[in-house]
Amino acid sequence: MTTRAHLRQMTRDDVPAVLELERALFPLDAWSEEMLRDELAETATRHYVVAEATEPGAESDSGAEGSIVGYAGLRFVPPEGDVQTMAVAESAWGRGIGRALLTELLAQAEVRGVTHMFLEVRSDNPRAQDLYTRFGFEAIGVRRGYYNGADAIVMRRVADGEGEGQR
């Protein structure tokens, strides 16, 4: 299925809608408003995007076209970068929005000189783990108790042409 959302840079005006989605998807580990606003203020090392519904069937739980159905954030300090957060409304799963968000983060990382991308994903989230694996991320470790009720699987993706022996 194709993407049914438009990606754009996240703004401060998006914070309430992003927090609503954050709390619905991650009730035990939701970011606070202050955390999200602090991240958005770090423009020298952060890139955040939102996905807005553009077609019927890709709406958020509010049902409104143009509503935010996903978001993602990148921290970049070349040569390393991190997927800080990424989420898609459950009602929009299976429409390629997660794939589009991750593609955007990886493209932005490449432009900024990032060759080694990292992320943590909940050990009880096989759907997200599968997405990251399809994009070339490999599990490199576990952080026990990182999330409320779950461990974090630490994953890494090395850009093409960058091997373990190349630095």
Side-chain angles (χ1 to χ4, degrees), residues 19-83:
L19 285 175
E20 181 179 333
L21 192 52
E22 172 85 3
R23 290 174 183 139
L25 293 168
F26 310 114
L28 299 176
D29 295 301
W31 284 16
S32 69
E33 181 174 350
E34 181 180 6
M35 287 172 65
L36 185 56
R37 289 191 184 280
D38 286 349
E39 284 291 299
L40 287 176
E42 292 291 333
T43 58
T45 59
R46 305 294 195 273
H47 177 75
Y48 279 79
V49 293
V50 294
E52 289 182 316
T54 59
E55 299 177 21
E59 301 91 359
S60 72
D61 294 332
S62 70
E65 192 170 309
S67 60
I68 292 174
V69 294
Y71 58 92
L74 166 70
R75 181 189 69 83
F76 51 92
V77 182
E80 295 183 355
D82 294 285
V83 175

Side-chain angles (χ1 to χ4, degrees), residues 111-144:
V111 166
R112 290 167 165 84
V114 171
T115 57
H116 291 70
M117 283 287 290
F118 297 88
L119 60 82
E120 291 92 13
V121 60
R122 286 183 67 98
S123 58
D124 60 358
N125 190 345
R127 183 180 186 88
Q129 293 170 36
D130 181 58
L131 173 67
Y132 299 137
T133 300
R134 284 186 277 133
F135 273 80
F137 283 87
E138 296 178 343
I140 61 168
V142 175
R143 291 188 175 159
R144 302 272 177 228

Side-chain angles (χ1 to χ4, degrees), residues 73-97:
L74 166 70
R75 181 189 69 83
F76 51 92
V77 182
E80 295 183 355
D82 294 285
V83 175
Q84 295 287 85
T85 187
M86 195 168 100
V88 175
E90 191 171 347
S91 62
W93 286 359
R95 293 187 167 88
I97 295 167

